Amino acid sequence: MQKILFTNDISAAVTSLVADMCPSTVHIVTDRNVNEKVLPSLSLPYPAIVTEPGDVSKNLDTLPGIWSGLIAGGATRRSVVINIGGGVVTDMGGFAAATFKRGVRFINVPTTLLSAVDAAVGGKTGINFCGLKNEIGAFAPADAVVVSTVLFSTLPKEELLSGYAEMLKHGLLSSEKEYRELLGFDILNADLDRLLPLLEKSVMVKERIVTEDPREKGIRRALNLGHTVGHAFESLAMEHSSPVPHGYAVAWGILAEMVISHMSERFPSDELYRYASYLKEHGYGSPDISCGDYPRLLELMRHDKKNDTSDHINFTLLSSPGKPLIDRSATEQVITESLDIFRDLMG
C-alpha cells in the first residue's frame, strides 16, 4: 500500500524513507523552477534530473531526457526516483519511473497544493499526447508520498486556488459537513498549520476511494467529478494557445457538471448558486468560450479517456453534496444547455 506521510520536515522524512528502501542509487526528478527555488532548502544529497517547467513539457519529447539521466546516473531496477515538484513532475516522473527497466520504485514530494491533493497520490502517471490531457500513462502508485504545507507559503494565488478546487471536489464527494468546512476556509490568507489537517482529510478521501478501486473500475470514477467538462475546457484553452491552470478548469467543470446534475438528478439549485458565488468571489474567472465552441468541446468530451465508447460521454454527477453518482451520461442537448446555464452563472 502507498505510504503517505503528512509532515513539515520534508528532508527528514525523505531521508528516512530512502534508508528503509536500501536502493542501489537515488535520483531526483524535478523542474528548473523547483531546482532553483526549493531543492537548495531541502539539502538532499542526490543528483537531479531537471526538466523544463509547465504543462507544455509534459510530453514524449521530455521523457527521453529523464530516462537518459537515469542511465547516465547508473540506475538499476533497485534504484529509487524522487519526484519533487508540481503535478507535471509527479505525473511525468512517475511515468518515467514506471517504464524505466519495466518499473523502478519512486517517491513523490509535491510542491504545490494541487499536486499534493491530486496528482501525487492515487497511482496515476502519464503525459499529454496529441493535445489531449494524460492520454498516455500507467497505473503505478508511488511507494511513498511526503505531503507538506511548508512549501506553499510562497505559492501565487493562482496555484492556491488551483489546488483548492480539487479539495472542494473531495469535500463534495465526502460529505456536506466537509464541503461546508472547506467553503468556510480562507485559502487566500491561509494559516498553513490549519491547512495541513484539512489537506490530510482531503487526501485521505482520495486514498480511501483509490484503495477500494485501484484500477478505476467502479467507485474511483467518482474522482472524475468536474473532469469530463474540465479537461475539455483545458484542452480547448491549449488549442487556443492560452492555457489555463488545471484546477481552474476543474473548478469550472464541477459547476458545469453540477448544472447537469441539477437537470438530470435534482441536485439542489441553491447549491449551484452557492458554488458559483464562491468561484466568482475568489477570483477563479471563467473560460473564454462561446456557443461556437460547443461542437469542439463536445468532441473533446467524447475523446476523454474516461469514456468506454466514442459515442458515449460519461460523467460523475451529484444528487447532493456527499452523494456522488458514477457512470451517468447526458445527451448533447443537455450538455449544451448546461454550458449555456454555466456561462450565465459565471457571467
Side-chain angles (χ1 to χ4, degrees), residues 23 48 86 97 116 136 152 173 176 195 197 207 221 223 227 234-235 238 250 256 258 268 290 297 326:
I136 308 295
F152 300 165
L173 296 178
E176 183 171 349
L195 178 59
E207 183 67 6
R221 297 184 183 188
L223 294 170
H227 284 63
E234 194 171 5
S235 294
M238 289 173 65
V250 169
M258 278 183 173
S290 68
L297 287 169
I326 64 171

Side-chain angles (χ1 to χ4, degrees), residues 59-82:
N59 54 43
L60 281 174
D61 295 331
T62 305
L63 280 171
I66 300 175
W67 291 322
S68 296
L70 293 173
I71 292 171
T76 72
R77 292 191 73 180
R78 291 184 54 250
S79 295
V80 168
V81 172
I82 307 173

Side-chain angles (χ1 to χ4, degrees), residues 24-341:
S24 58
T25 60
V26 182
H27 312 263
I28 292 173
V29 173
T30 190
D31 66 31
R32 177 167 43 81
N33 289 341
V34 175
N35 184 56
E36 294 172 357
K37 299 175 182 177
V38 176
L39 285 192
S41 68
L42 299 182
S43 300
L44 295 171
Y46 314 118
I49 300 167
V50 181
T51 66
E52 287 301 304
D55 207 59
V56 292
S57 70
K58 186 180 166 183
N59 54 43
L60 281 174
D61 295 331
T62 305
L63 280 171
I66 300 175
W67 291 322
S68 296
L70 293 173
I71 292 171
T76 72
R77 292 191 73 180
R78 291 184 54 250
S79 295
V80 168
V81 172
I82 307 173
N83 301 311
I84 303 178
V88 169
V89 168
T90 57
D91 274 358
M92 185 167 55
F95 184 60
T99 49
F100 183 77
K101 294 187 183 295
R102 296 193 175 95
V104 298
R105 297 168 295 173
F106 65 98
I107 297 168
N108 285 338
V109 182
T111 59
T112 66
L113 181 57
L114 178 60
S115 59
V117 77
D118 182 33
V121 296
K124 286 184 178 180
T125 68
I127 58 170
N128 303 333
F129 187 67
C130 289
L132 299 172
K133 290 284 296 181
N134 301 319
E135 187 74 356
I136 308 295
F139 287 100
D143 287 71
V145 181
V146 179
V147 179
S148 169
T149 59
V150 72
L151 300 176
F152 300 165
S153 60
T154 59
L155 289 179
K157 167 186 170 182
E158 178 183 276
E159 290 282 359
L160 290 171
L161 289 177
S162 193
Y164 207 65
E166 288 282 355
M167 290 182 66
L168 289 169
K169 181 197 77 175
H170 290 164
L172 281 164
L173 296 178
S174 178
S175 69
E176 183 171 349
K177 179 182 178 182
E178 189 163 329
Y179 175 55
R180 293 279 187 269
E181 184 179 22
L182 291 168
L183 286 178
F185 183 77
D186 185 3
I187 187 58
L188 294 181
N189 296 285
D191 178 332
L192 296 182
D193 289 333
R194 280 192 61 212
L195 178 59
L196 188 60
L198 286 178
L199 180 56
E200 181 172 355
K201 283 198 287 187
S202 187
V203 169
M204 296 316 295
V205 170
K206 181 173 184 178
E207 183 67 6
R208 287 194 299 270
I209 292 173
V210 169
T211 299
E212 183 177 344
D213 180 22
R215 306 290 294 186
E216 201 170 22
K217 301 297 184 182
I219 189 59
R220 180 167 179 165
R221 297 184 183 188
L223 294 170
N224 294 325
L225 177 66
H227 284 63
T228 299
V229 178
H231 276 165
F233 285 152
E234 194 171 5
S235 294
L236 185 67
M238 289 173 65
E239 289 179 3
H240 291 171
S241 299
S242 55
V244 297
H246 172 72
Y248 282 41
V250 169
W252 303 332
I254 289 172
L255 179 57
E257 292 175 21
M258 278 183 173
V259 175
I260 298 173
S261 297
H262 174 67
M263 296 170 70
S264 59
E265 306 292 344
R266 298 185 178 180
F267 183 79
S269 60
D270 59 338
E271 293 293 349
L272 278 178
Y273 290 106
R274 181 179 289 111
Y275 181 73
S277 295
Y278 183 91
L279 296 187
K280 289 189 288 186
E281 289 169 5
H282 287 78
Y284 278 92
S286 184
D288 183 16
I289 59 170
S290 68
C291 56
D293 294 310
Y294 291 0
R296 180 55 180 156
L297 287 169
L298 287 166
E299 184 178 0
L300 289 165
M301 291 180 214
R302 280 192 292 270
H303 281 285
D304 192 280
K305 62 186 180 301
K306 295 180 289 295
N307 294 322
D308 297 321
T309 62
S310 60
D311 59 351
H312 177 86
I313 301 177
N314 201 358
F315 295 93
T316 291
L317 300 179
L318 296 162
S319 60
S320 63
K323 295 182 179 179
L325 304 166
I326 64 171
D327 294 329
R328 295 302 201 265
S329 60
T331 65
E332 290 191 0
Q333 180 178 346
V334 167
I335 296 170
T336 55
E337 288 176 1
S338 73
L339 290 172
D340 284 337
I341 296 170

